[in-house]
Amino acid sequence: MKHVPLTEALHQYICTTFPAEDALLQRIKQEAEQAGLPAIHIAPEQGALLQVLLRAIGARRVLEIGTLVGYSAIMMARALPPDGYLLTLESDEHHADYARVNIRAASLDHIIEVRVGRAQDILHSISGAVFDAVFIDADKAGYTTYLEHSVRLVRVGGLIIADNTLAWGKIADTTTDDPTIQALQQFNKALKAHPMLHSCLVPIAEGMTISVRL
Ligand code: SAH
Ligand code: MG
């Protein structure tokens, strides 16, 4: 297997050589932790990858499913043009409140809209292939449903990206009875089988699938 194990030193090297996390984003994470919110934001190097991908496809409009306190939304919005738009969906009112404060602190409230509600419900009300990219990072049980909507909502040549698709290292465990891991296995299987997607799984952080809409 051709593979360089990621050490603390290598991770530090990657994040300082190609930085995506600035002092504001660090503070946002610290404040979220102090407030007792879960530390389940994307990793900084994932932010760097998302930014490069969004710029590569000339993204102007992005949909995010799962806001938390806005860490990944802020990272992605920074790779959009000044008239760009990022819609992020969050079911937890408390998380959304934090996110709005953070987005204002990042001076991105003209680009990012936080919409509160279950993504399953909100997605139904959106029509047309109006997004250049979707980032899926909410409840794992919803991933396959979010995928169906994403295929509908992303333009041809756009991207559908999903986080945690290595399932904390357990994705290859075929004997698992953990519904969260099973949901991610189902999701990856659906990606592979989808005739309108060309996908890969990047072993970054907890794993991230990247699919291009054919
Ligand atoms: N993308 C964020 C992390 C998201 S954590 C970042 O990297 O910074 C997952 C978020 O999804 C949580 O805030 C959780 O409240 C939200 N969530 C869970 N189920 C949801 C649902 N059905 N619809 C919308 N949001 C949901
Ligand atoms: Mg995640």
Side-chain angles (χ1 to χ4, degrees), residues 40-42 64-73 89-92 95 117-120 135 137-140 146 163:
I40 51 174
H41 333 267
I42 55 163
E64 176 180 69
I65 305 171
T67 314
L68 192 57
V69 298
Y71 181 88
S72 54
L89 311 181
E90 174 56 56
S91 58
D92 186 316
H95 293 178
R118 288 176 75 245
Q120 292 91 329
F135 180 52
D137 190 21
D139 58 310
K140 308 312 164 199
Y146 303 148
D163 193 30

Side-chain angles (χ1 to χ4, degrees), residues 1 10 19 22 33 37 47 62 67 78 80 109 112 117 123-124 136 141 143 147 167 186 194 196 203:
M1 184 173 65
L10 281 177
D22 63 357
E33 196 185 324
L37 297 175
V62 174
T67 314
R78 285 176 170 173
L80 299 181
D109 34 355
I112 304 175
L123 288 166
H124 279 291
I136 303 173
Y143 266 38
L147 177 63
Q186 281 296 314
H194 206 295
M196 287 176 189

